[in-house]
Amino acid sequence: MTHSGDHCPTHATVQPPGLHSRRSIVVALASTAAASSGPVLAKSEASPEDERFMRMALDEARQGDYAFGCVITRAAEVIARGRNLGKTNDDPTAHGEMVAIRRCLADHGSAALRGATLYTSGEPCVMCMGAIVWCGIGRLVFAASVPQIGSLTNQIMITSAEVAARAKWDPVKITGGVFADEAMRLFR
């Protein structure tokens, strides 16, 4: 992933007063969409278990090519881990979530993913959220949101809640914002 210059201080001084960068407008629109996407996104306080597994996801993120790390759990046990390996593997689909899902499939088969919980340092992109839905993962817990990540780098500005809302046949419970500040420090 590449960073855009929209957040660069020199870029901001070039803009005429009163005008906003394209990135800031897109982030604002995505934030509005996320806020109005319905009851899918539950921003509740994290449980001690959520905090423990999110710490593991953040540790994975620190080791990746980019700050996306993931842990998949079932019955309070880790069944797969993944980190962004896009540069390492020369594979733009090697996001932390995709790496963890592929590892889980290889080690345990698809049945292990049905109803599992996926913890990730950054809200999944559309590709990863599609995989989460198709695998039947029952719960998603993320740290930094799409609008937060989009304020720093290129990001498809569609939230996980928006994707999940279109897949009503297999609902995914979503909890966001667990250690978001810590995750955002990794993305900087």
Side-chain angles (χ1 to χ4, degrees), residues 55-140:
R55 291 252 177 248
M56 291 180 191
L58 292 168
D59 288 342
E60 288 294 322
R62 287 183 190 91
Q63 300 172 58
D65 295 340
Y66 198 62
F68 287 94
C70 178
V71 173
I72 301 174
T73 67
R74 183 166 195 71
E77 297 290 326
V78 174
I79 59 173
R81 296 171 185 256
R83 62 185 73 122
N84 187 297
L85 297 174
K87 292 178 189 173
T88 300
N89 294 350
D90 192 27
D91 177 357
T93 69
H95 294 190
E97 300 93 334
M98 297 299 289
V99 170
I101 287 169
R102 290 172 183 154
R103 286 180 178 162
C104 187
L105 289 168
D107 294 344
H108 306 287
S110 63
L113 289 169
R114 296 213 55 75
T117 299
L118 187 144
Y119 294 86
T120 181
S121 58
E123 184 173 5
C125 71
V126 176
M127 173 185 68
C128 294
M129 192 59 198
I132 289 166
V133 168
W134 288 118
C135 289
I137 292 171
R139 183 164 180 244
L140 165 66

Side-chain angles (χ1 to χ4, degrees), residues 5-67:
D6 286 355
H7 63 279
C8 177
T10 57
H11 181 64
T13 59
V14 174
Q15 289 182 323
L19 290 181
H20 301 283
S21 71
R22 183 174 63 162
R23 179 175 303 285
S24 67
I25 292 168
V26 170
V27 168
L29 289 172
S31 298
T32 302
S36 64
S37 61
V40 177
L41 184 60
K43 290 190 177 183
S44 60
E45 288 191 31
S47 70
E49 185 174 277
D50 287 344
E51 291 179 359
R52 180 172 73 111
F53 291 126
M54 185 58 74
R55 291 252 177 248
M56 291 180 191
L58 292 168
D59 288 342
E60 288 294 322
R62 287 183 190 91
Q63 300 172 58
D65 295 340
Y66 198 62

